[in-house]
Amino acid sequence: MTDFVAAHWLDILTTLLGLVYIWLEYKAHIGLWIVGIIMPALDVYLYYSHGLYGDAGMAVYYTLAAIYGYAAWRMKGKGATDDGQAPAEKPITHFPRRLILPVTAVFAVLWVLTWWVLSHYTNSNVPWTDAFTNALSFVGLWALARKYIEQWGFWIVVDCVCTVLYVQKGIPFKAGLYGLYVIIAILGYFKWQRLMRASRSWS
């Protein structure tokens, strides 16, 4: 048992942090971005040591993007509130239709570009899958930072694919975490719907 924990301690730790992260995301709590800085920083080594080079690179991006996400959630974009207080958190909104084509194009370019890098500069044996989850995660994290409710749809797809991928790569706790993420992402979508309706009724 001790040997097992010693071999998988980082997998276990990041899994526990991931549970905190997804709970805070479900609650639409800004604290998720604090965890979002710590967890991916640890994931860089975890993924790299298991040959998931795309995920390791993406974890670096996650760490930096968490800073942006925190700032974006703290701002409404219109300065202070009517009573002169500090800006409230960014409200939950829908993904604008005008962004569908450009975001899809960005996703496609990132997928192909990441696949090319993994195929030519690493010994990854899952370049297409690793590149796919990274490209879609890039889009998903951006949508989360903008607080678009549709971001949950991106994560459902990413989490399903990652669950299978991490089982294949021998990261069992992370695989279990992402399997749980699928369920929470579905619940999170409906939770955000309720929060969005409630915020509109208060405004």
Side-chain angles (χ1 to χ4, degrees):
M1 180 65 180
T2 303
D3 291 340
F4 179 83
V5 173
H8 294 278
W9 71 270
L10 188 56
D11 185 11
I12 296 171
L13 175 59
T14 55
T15 297
L16 293 175
L17 289 173
L19 290 173
V20 175
Y21 178 90
I22 194 66
W23 174 248
L24 292 173
E25 183 180 0
Y26 172 80
K27 300 290 288 185
H29 191 286
I30 197 170
L32 75 92
W33 296 111
I34 306 301
V35 181
I37 294 172
I38 300 171
M39 181 179 65
L42 297 174
D43 279 338
V44 173
Y45 177 77
L46 176 66
Y47 291 142
Y48 190 87
S49 64
H50 285 81
L52 293 167
Y53 306 114
D55 281 350
M58 197 65 190
V60 175
Y61 164 73
Y62 282 165
T63 305
L64 299 175
I67 299 172
Y68 165 76
Y70 179 83
W73 277 38
R74 288 297 300 168
M75 296 172 59
K76 268 188 171 180
K78 295 183 179 180
T81 56
D82 293 337
D83 58 4
Q85 299 300 312
E89 289 186 18
K90 187 177 182 65
I92 298 170
T93 57
H94 281 293
F95 193 97
R97 291 184 179 180
R98 60 183 172 79
L99 294 180
I100 293 177
L101 286 179
V103 169
T104 300
V106 169
F107 161 71
V109 170
L110 288 173
W111 186 6
V112 173
L113 181 60
T114 305
W115 165 81
W116 186 86
V117 171
L118 293 176
S119 298
H120 289 80
Y121 295 100
T122 76
N123 61 353
S124 174
N125 60 358
V126 286
W128 273 114
T129 308
D130 202 1
F132 173 82
T133 57
N134 277 271
L136 193 55
S137 294
F138 184 97
V139 173
L141 189 59
W142 169 82
L144 172 59
R146 303 309 303 164
K147 224 166 184 178
Y148 296 139
I149 191 172
E150 288 79 10
Q151 60 96 12
W152 288 109
F154 297 134
W155 294 121
I156 289 171
V157 176
V158 169
D159 296 341
C160 286
V161 176
C162 283
T163 299
V164 177
L165 181 60
Y166 294 158
V167 168
Q168 295 174 343
K169 282 294 185 174
I171 314 178
F173 290 99
K174 208 71 167 182
L177 174 66
Y178 275 76
L180 180 61
Y181 275 2
V182 175
I183 298 173
I184 297 179
I186 295 172
L187 297 176
Y189 175 80
F190 292 107
K191 171 70 173 181
W192 278 35
Q193 272 192 329
R194 294 193 296 271
L195 291 173
M196 184 168 59
R197 286 196 296 266
S199 65
R200 287 176 177 175
S201 65
W202 296 335
S203 59

